[in-house]
Amino acid sequence: MCSVTEQLAISTLTLQHRIPDDWAADPWAEVRPLIDGVDILKAVHPEGMAPSRRHWTGTAENWPLAVTKEPRRVKFAESPCTAGCCGALYVTIRREGDRVIWDAWENTNNIIAVPPDFWFDATQYEAELTRAAADRSWEEPVDTVARLLQQALVDSGWFEQWGCVLTDVSPRREEPDMPEDLTSPEGVDVRFHEVQASGARARSYEYELFTTHDQPVEEQARQLAARILTEDPRKTAELKEH
């Protein structure tokens, strides 16, 4: 940890949306941090994925890189196969006056290298988090449909009416190098489960919906939402085996 007399040079944070090569691990874009224009993950955790765009919603204090009143340890990057299997990179984020500090790095990946400590101007740092959370420029049509559909389903309260909880809404991307019998066309996956009494196994369901490049994304989202919001979703979705 640096003392006041040992302050580092002030760095600039830039958050860049990137759809991972291995998007099956998480179909949403990752929000990748660049420090002074440099992707620091490449050197210390080359297989690591930064926190998914799915986590950059809600209030600012819940965003992955948010700085709060108390220092907090954050999972900065994780291997596609989970941290427990192939490791992750962690950092402690704290604030001192008008500075945001990243330090106390820990790398549980087999490379074990860690980045240096970084200091940021708090105003620039928080503005960049806000900008990235509002950024839609990275979205492909399937991402926009998934986002609009998720918002429509959340706002409707539909699943709660049937004793269910909406678990996930995700884009499903085409896999051009995969045989047709091993992949599904581009679309959106909607998952939900029943609420059961404590100890009972909850049944899970899924809609595998399809998108097109021939219709406006707003219209597609409305049509897909209408399909779900017609009757008991437990009757129209596919029951998933545990």
Side-chain angles (χ1 to χ4, degrees):
M1 181 181 300
C2 297
S3 68
V4 175
T5 59
E6 299 172 328
Q7 291 187 11
L8 302 177
I10 303 303
S11 293
T12 299
L13 173 67
T14 304
L15 297 173
Q16 184 179 79
H17 289 80
R18 186 178 76 88
I19 296 173
D21 296 330
D22 182 17
W23 65 264
D26 191 322
W28 289 103
E30 60 175 329
V31 183
R32 204 163 178 92
L34 306 183
I35 310 299
D36 299 323
V38 177
D39 185 342
I40 61 173
L41 288 182
K42 286 185 177 180
V44 301
H45 204 298
E47 301 300 322
M49 294 173 59
S52 166
R53 186 63 178 81
R54 71 170 69 243
H55 302 303
W56 288 85
T57 58
T59 56
E61 58 264 28
N62 294 322
W63 296 342
L65 299 179
V67 58
T68 54
K69 292 182 179 179
E70 299 298 325
R72 65 190 192 103
R73 185 172 181 258
V74 172
K75 186 186 294 181
F76 193 79
E78 181 178 11
S79 298
C81 60
T82 75
C85 177
C86 295
L89 180 66
Y90 300 88
V91 68
T92 296
I93 299 178
R94 58 193 177 88
R95 181 164 181 165
E96 287 190 6
D98 61 354
R99 299 289 182 258
V100 174
I101 302 171
W102 290 0
D103 62 7
W105 294 91
E106 180 186 4
N107 193 348
T108 59
N109 182 269
N110 58 12
I111 295 179
I112 73 172
V114 296
D117 296 346
F118 292 104
W119 288 54
F120 306 94
D121 175 81
T123 300
Q124 186 276 325
Y125 184 94
E126 294 179 344
E128 179 60 11
L129 266 59
T130 300
R131 183 205 63 78
D135 184 10
R136 307 294 185 203
S137 63
W138 61 273
E139 289 186 346
E140 297 177 350
V142 68
D143 299 299
T144 307
V145 174
R147 173 173 58 82
L148 294 175
L149 176 60
Q150 179 179 36
Q151 191 61 57
L153 295 177
V154 170
D155 291 345
S156 72
W158 182 248
F159 292 97
E160 290 79 359
Q161 295 181 37
W162 303 97
C164 297
V165 173
L166 179 63
T167 309
D168 181 57
V169 179
S170 298
R172 185 181 62 255
R173 305 182 192 282
E174 292 181 337
E175 297 180 90
D177 298 327
M178 291 286 289
E180 289 187 6
D181 58 338
L182 297 179
T183 187
S184 296
E186 185 177 272
V188 179
D189 295 322
V190 176
R191 301 179 182 90
F192 63 97
H193 66 267
E194 288 182 309
V195 177
Q196 297 286 358
S198 178
R201 188 173 71 175
R203 287 185 292 186
S204 299
Y205 301 83
E206 179 177 358
Y207 288 102
E208 186 179 90
L209 308 171
F210 302 101
T211 56
T212 176
H213 294 278
D214 300 329
Q215 274 185 303
V217 290
E218 294 83 0
E219 182 60 28
Q220 291 187 67
R222 282 194 294 269
Q223 291 179 359
L224 295 177
R227 170 181 167 182
I228 294 173
L229 302 176
T230 301
E231 59 180 301
D232 186 342
R234 296 168 296 179
K235 295 180 179 179
T236 57
E238 178 183 358
L239 177 64
K240 306 299 291 185
E241 297 295 334
H242 289 273

